[in-house]
Amino acid sequence: SYVVTQPPSVSVAPGQTARITCGGNNIGSKNIHWYQQKPGQAPVLVMFYDSDRPSGIPERFSGSKSGNTATLTISRVEAGDEADYYCQLWDRSSDHYVFGTGTKVTVL
Amino acid sequence: EVQLEESGGALVQSGGSLRLSCAASGFTFRNAWMSWVRQAPGKGLEWVGRLKSIGEGGTADHAAPVKGRFTISRDDSKNTLYLQMSSLTTEDTAVYYCTTMYSSAFDSWGQGTLVTVSS
């Protein structure tokens, strides 16, 4: 089955930039979506189709992709951005959906 | 505003069965593709299965760990999505989320319902 890897954790100081990566075979050909999940809450879609922001998501959140790595970037990080972040894609060959392993973002 | 409310989570013994429901409102349910996603305690997100709208075939697909044991269905007259689970094991212990789908993304989520399978 398709495997999507993320770093387990990222630490960032307030006001700085956090970058969360998502890697997988041939990921450049797949649409990547990103979710934010705060403790005790349901996930929230924060980025879709690599770099599109749903309404209500701050412009500080941006997405990009290069080669076999997709990246969610959070600029001017705030304490409220502390959460787990998951990337996700659709695997065309199996017609199944795959989540990344998740990254815990800690605001120092 | 999209609202999804899951129910039916419970403590069940290994080998048992359970049906989860997801009541939907705020959008045209009959046209929506829907999914279930689960999260075991302290673990990441795992896709469980997807159900297309009736207009697009109404077919369901399930992830390998649950295939043959879980079945997703819908009642468009009640704006409700279901997840019938059988032959449950402790590995199925998780919070189960109902989601709407925008293309291949899960764009709205319910608050989840907890299923605990005891040995």
Side-chain angles (χ1 to χ4, degrees), chain A residues 2 5 23 33 36 67 72-73 83 85 103:
Chain A
Y2 194 90
T5 56
H33 315 298
Q36 176 195 66
L72 178 70
T73 300
Y85 291 82
T103 298

PDB file of all heavy atoms in Angstrom, chain A residues 2 5 23 33 36 67 72-73 83 85 103:
ATOM      1  N   TYR A   2       0.298   2.335  -0.469  1.00  0.00           N
ATOM      2  CA  TYR A   2       1.041   3.579  -0.603  1.00  0.00           C
ATOM      3  C   TYR A   2       1.384   4.149   0.765  1.00  0.00           C
ATOM      4  O   TYR A   2       0.545   4.200   1.648  1.00  0.00           O
ATOM      5  CB  TYR A   2       0.194   4.575  -1.398  1.00  0.00           C
ATOM      6  CG  TYR A   2       0.967   5.770  -1.890  1.00  0.00           C
ATOM      7  CD1 TYR A   2       1.597   5.759  -3.124  1.00  0.00           C
ATOM      8  CD2 TYR A   2       1.056   6.921  -1.105  1.00  0.00           C
ATOM      9  CE1 TYR A   2       2.300   6.856  -3.576  1.00  0.00           C
ATOM     10  CE2 TYR A   2       1.757   8.019  -1.541  1.00  0.00           C
ATOM     11  CZ  TYR A   2       2.385   7.982  -2.778  1.00  0.00           C
ATOM     12  OH  TYR A   2       3.090   9.072  -3.207  1.00  0.00           O
ATOM     13  N   THR A   5       5.038   9.799   4.259  1.00  0.00           N
ATOM     14  CA  THR A   5       5.818  10.047   5.468  1.00  0.00           C
ATOM     15  C   THR A   5       5.887  11.532   5.809  1.00  0.00           C
ATOM     16  O   THR A   5       5.970  12.391   4.930  1.00  0.00           O
ATOM     17  CB  THR A   5       7.237   9.502   5.319  1.00  0.00           C
ATOM     18  OG1 THR A   5       7.853  10.084   4.153  1.00  0.00           O
ATOM     19  CG2 THR A   5       7.231   7.991   5.151  1.00  0.00           C
ATOM     20  N   GLY A  23       6.145  13.298   2.207  1.00  0.00           N
ATOM     21  CA  GLY A  23       6.852  12.639   1.125  1.00  0.00           C
ATOM     22  C   GLY A  23       6.258  11.295   0.759  1.00  0.00           C
ATOM     23  O   GLY A  23       5.693  10.595   1.596  1.00  0.00           O
ATOM     24  N   HIS A  33      -3.637  17.198   0.196  1.00  0.00           N
ATOM     25  CA  HIS A  33      -4.493  17.985   1.078  1.00  0.00           C
ATOM     26  C   HIS A  33      -3.904  17.949   2.482  1.00  0.00           C
ATOM     27  O   HIS A  33      -3.235  16.988   2.857  1.00  0.00           O
ATOM     28  CB  HIS A  33      -5.915  17.410   1.088  1.00  0.00           C
ATOM     29  CG  HIS A  33      -6.435  17.060  -0.270  1.00  0.00           C
ATOM     30  ND1 HIS A  33      -6.603  18.004  -1.276  1.00  0.00           N
ATOM     31  CD2 HIS A  33      -6.809  15.868  -0.808  1.00  0.00           C
ATOM     32  CE1 HIS A  33      -7.057  17.413  -2.353  1.00  0.00           C
ATOM     33  NE2 HIS A  33      -7.193  16.113  -2.103  1.00  0.00           N
ATOM     34  N   GLN A  36      -5.452  20.180   9.949  1.00  0.00           N
ATOM     35  CA  GLN A  36      -4.979  20.580  11.271  1.00  0.00           C
ATOM     36  C   GLN A  36      -5.890  19.938  12.304  1.00  0.00           C
ATOM     37  O   GLN A  36      -7.117  20.011  12.173  1.00  0.00           O
ATOM     38  CB  GLN A  36      -5.044  22.107  11.406  1.00  0.00           C
ATOM     39  CG  GLN A  36      -4.668  22.651  12.774  1.00  0.00           C
ATOM     40  CD  GLN A  36      -5.102  24.104  12.927  1.00  0.00           C
ATOM     41  OE1 GLN A  36      -6.281  24.426  12.947  1.00  0.00           O
ATOM     42  NE2 GLN A  36      -4.124  25.001  13.011  1.00  0.00           N
ATOM     43  N   GLY A  67       9.051  18.087  -6.630  1.00  0.00           N
ATOM     44  CA  GLY A  67       9.514  16.717  -6.723  1.00  0.00           C
ATOM     45  C   GLY A  67       8.603  15.777  -5.962  1.00  0.00           C
ATOM     46  O   GLY A  67       7.391  15.811  -6.136  1.00  0.00           O
ATOM     47  N   LEU A  72       3.657  22.106   3.746  1.00  0.00           N
ATOM     48  CA  LEU A  72       2.725  23.075   4.324  1.00  0.00           C
ATOM     49  C   LEU A  72       3.567  24.070   5.113  1.00  0.00           C
ATOM     50  O   LEU A  72       4.350  23.674   5.980  1.00  0.00           O
ATOM     51  CB  LEU A  72       1.720  22.391   5.249  1.00  0.00           C
ATOM     52  CG  LEU A  72       0.726  23.325   5.956  1.00  0.00           C
ATOM     53  CD1 LEU A  72      -0.275  23.903   4.945  1.00  0.00           C
ATOM     54  CD2 LEU A  72      -0.008  22.590   7.075  1.00  0.00           C
ATOM     55  N   THR A  73       3.420  25.342   4.787  1.00  0.00           N
ATOM     56  CA  THR A  73       4.187  26.386   5.452  1.00  0.00           C
ATOM     57  C   THR A  73       3.249  27.261   6.272  1.00  0.00           C
ATOM     58  O   THR A  73       2.201  27.692   5.777  1.00  0.00           O
ATOM     59  CB  THR A  73       4.933  27.245   4.420  1.00  0.00           C
ATOM     60  OG1 THR A  73       5.831  26.414   3.670  1.00  0.00           O
ATOM     61  CG2 THR A  73       5.738  28.340   5.116  1.00  0.00           C
ATOM     62  N   ALA A  83      -0.634  22.159  17.005  1.00  0.00           N
ATOM     63  CA  ALA A  83      -1.589  21.114  16.631  1.00  0.00           C
ATOM     64  C   ALA A  83      -0.836  19.996  15.910  1.00  0.00           C
ATOM     65  O   ALA A  83       0.356  20.103  15.631  1.00  0.00           O
ATOM     66  CB  ALA A  83      -2.659  21.689  15.700  1.00  0.00           C
ATOM     67  N   TYR A  85      -0.644  18.001  12.356  1.00  0.00           N
ATOM     68  CA  TYR A  85      -0.945  18.276  10.952  1.00  0.00           C
ATOM     69  C   TYR A  85      -0.751  17.005  10.139  1.00  0.00           C
ATOM     70  O   TYR A  85       0.255  16.294  10.291  1.00  0.00           O
ATOM     71  CB  TYR A  85      -0.045  19.394  10.422  1.00  0.00           C
ATOM     72  CG  TYR A  85      -0.362  20.746  11.028  1.00  0.00           C
ATOM     73  CD1 TYR A  85       0.142  21.102  12.274  1.00  0.00           C
ATOM     74  CD2 TYR A  85      -1.201  21.651  10.374  1.00  0.00           C
ATOM     75  CE1 TYR A  85      -0.165  22.324  12.856  1.00  0.00           C
ATOM     76  CE2 TYR A  85      -1.511  22.876  10.944  1.00  0.00           C
ATOM     77  CZ  TYR A  85      -0.991  23.202  12.180  1.00  0.00           C
ATOM     78  OH  TYR A  85      -1.317  24.414  12.750  1.00  0.00           O
ATOM     79  N   THR A 103       2.365  15.195  11.834  1.00  0.00           N
ATOM     80  CA  THR A 103       3.443  15.989  12.418  1.00  0.00           C
ATOM     81  C   THR A 103       2.895  16.843  13.546  1.00  0.00           C
ATOM     82  O   THR A 103       1.919  17.583  13.352  1.00  0.00           O
ATOM     83  CB  THR A 103       4.082  16.919  11.361  1.00  0.00           C
ATOM     84  OG1 THR A 103       4.651  16.145  10.320  1.00  0.00           O
ATOM     85  CG2 THR A 103       5.155  17.800  11.996  1.00  0.00           C
TER      86      THR A 103
END
